Amino acid sequence: MAIGKQSAMMDHTLLELSRRNGHRSQQKPTVLALITTHLLGLESGLSYLRRLNDEEVIIRFSAEEEVLTQFPISNLIKTIGNDDWIPHHSLSERILNQVDIIFIPILSFSIVSDILSFNEQRPFVRLILKALLTGKKVLALKAGADPYHPLWRINGLDKSTTELKRSLNKQMLQLKSFGIILIEESEQVPVHLDNKRKNTIITEATIQSIYQLNQSQFIISNETIITPLARDKAKELNIELIFE
């Protein structure tokens, strides 16, 4: 999967090995981009991802099958300039624990609808909801879902009724209320981590939320604090706690 420079996947693997060996001085935040397809915003979303390669971050990405029917994976890697690709069916809680930020470069109607309806059967949505529940940053480029964005006018999609635009805008506000940060293509992803970040605390309410997402396992990093009541609730609801 050569892309004209040293493999990003190889770089990231070496960096991870360095971390495990205790060399943390050059730690960079990891961004996982989840690529969907849409009637607009695909080109600008992929272009944004390519520019993001120049930031002081580790970029990994996954694409749904519908995207790969338009872009063979080799073409997608070349377009983004990054070969650190994860098949979407391989996404898991373990992968989520290895990243700091979830990024949605193409905010499609279907991904918005599925997030708002808690459709955890869709792997991308399950990962996004778990990220929100565990306090990880989730960001998205707003162009694909913002009916007032200039991209809509450029593509002749600004002729709809006022009510339709209001409904779409209301969905945007709901995403924000869920904790998803919506940004413009001109903005930078806020990638810098808080050096004073506190350990995550898993409470009884967290376990209840995991249960409502029909999850039978919960992968937890070793730095995470889990309360006794949360342990009891997990046992009561038959949720296996896996520490890594």
Side-chain angles (χ1 to χ4, degrees), residues 228-244:
L229 286 178
R231 289 181 183 273
D232 292 342
K233 178 60 69 172
K235 184 176 181 180
E236 175 190 335
L237 299 176
N238 293 317
I239 295 175
E240 181 184 5
L241 302 177
I242 301 174
F243 291 85
E244 64 168 20

Side-chain angles (χ1 to χ4, degrees), residues 91-98 127 130 134 136 200 202 206-207 210 215-222 224 226 239-244:
L91 293 173
S92 64
E93 291 182 17
R94 191 175 302 276
I95 295 293
L96 180 61
N97 283 341
Q98 295 171 355
L127 204 69
K130 179 67 182 295
T134 55
K136 288 185 183 288
T200 299
I202 303 300
T206 307
I207 298 299
I210 297 301
Q215 300 297 302
S216 60
Q217 293 182 329
F218 188 30
I219 299 176
I220 305 170
S221 67
N222 288 326
T224 299
I226 181 165
I239 295 175
E240 181 184 5
L241 302 177
I242 301 174
F243 291 85
E244 64 168 20

Side-chain angles (χ1 to χ4, degrees), residues 9-220:
M9 183 181 294
M10 180 63 71
D11 287 344
H12 300 167
T13 300
L14 291 173
L15 183 58
E16 180 61 26
L17 288 173
S18 176
R19 287 181 183 176
R20 292 178 183 180
N21 289 328
H23 304 295
R24 298 178 176 271
S25 59
Q26 300 299 319
Q27 183 173 350
K28 298 179 181 179
T30 300
V31 177
L32 174 60
L34 304 178
I35 304 174
T36 61
T37 188
H38 192 26
L39 53 83
L40 79 167
L42 184 59
E43 183 178 342
S44 60
L46 296 182
S47 176
Y48 189 96
L49 266 182
R50 187 175 186 87
R51 296 197 306 271
L52 197 56
N53 283 319
D54 297 328
E55 301 290 338
E56 286 298 309
V57 294
I58 294 172
I59 305 294
R60 309 189 71 187
F61 75 94
S62 184
E64 292 184 316
E65 292 298 331
E66 191 174 354
V67 177
L68 298 180
T69 62
Q70 300 180 42
F71 285 87
I73 187 59
S74 58
N75 289 354
L76 197 59
I77 287 171
K78 184 177 180 180
T79 300
I80 297 174
N82 187 316
D83 67 349
D84 200 343
W85 170 63
I86 305 170
H88 88 281
H89 53 75
S90 298
L91 293 173
S92 64
E93 291 182 17
R94 191 175 302 276
I95 295 293
L96 180 61
N97 283 341
Q98 295 171 355
V99 303
D100 301 294
I101 299 169
I102 298 293
F103 180 51
I104 311 169
I106 300 99
L107 196 57
S108 67
F109 294 152
S110 66
I111 197 75
V112 171
S113 176
D114 282 347
I115 291 171
L116 296 180
S117 62
F118 304 99
N119 180 17
E120 52 87 24
Q121 296 301 315
R122 185 173 179 178
F124 276 13
V125 174
R126 185 187 313 123
L127 204 69
I128 291 166
L129 291 173
K130 179 67 182 295
L132 291 170
L133 287 169
T134 55
K136 288 185 183 288
K137 281 185 179 179
V138 178
L139 301 100
L141 288 182
K142 63 189 297 187
D146 181 2
Y148 303 107
H149 194 280
L151 191 61
W152 288 56
R153 184 176 64 257
I154 292 171
N155 286 271
L157 299 174
D158 60 337
K159 310 299 191 296
S160 65
T161 64
T162 300
E163 185 56 36
L164 177 54
K165 291 178 180 178
R166 285 176 178 170
S167 295
L168 292 172
N169 193 57
K170 182 179 179 181
Q171 287 187 324
M172 298 274 288
L173 295 176
Q174 286 182 283
L175 289 179
K176 289 182 179 180
S177 72
F178 278 18
I180 297 176
I181 303 170
L182 302 178
I183 62 174
E184 300 280 4
E185 296 95 318
S186 58
E187 296 181 70
Q188 291 185 328
V189 168
V191 296
H192 297 295
L193 300 179
D194 184 357
N195 293 329
K196 298 180 180 179
R197 196 161 108 191
K198 298 179 181 179
N199 289 336
T200 299
I201 299 177
I202 303 300
T203 66
E204 184 180 11
T206 307
I207 298 299
Q208 186 66 45
S209 297
I210 297 301
Y211 176 74
Q212 291 172 352
L213 289 173
N214 297 321
Q215 300 297 302
S216 60
Q217 293 182 329
F218 188 30
I219 299 176
I220 305 170

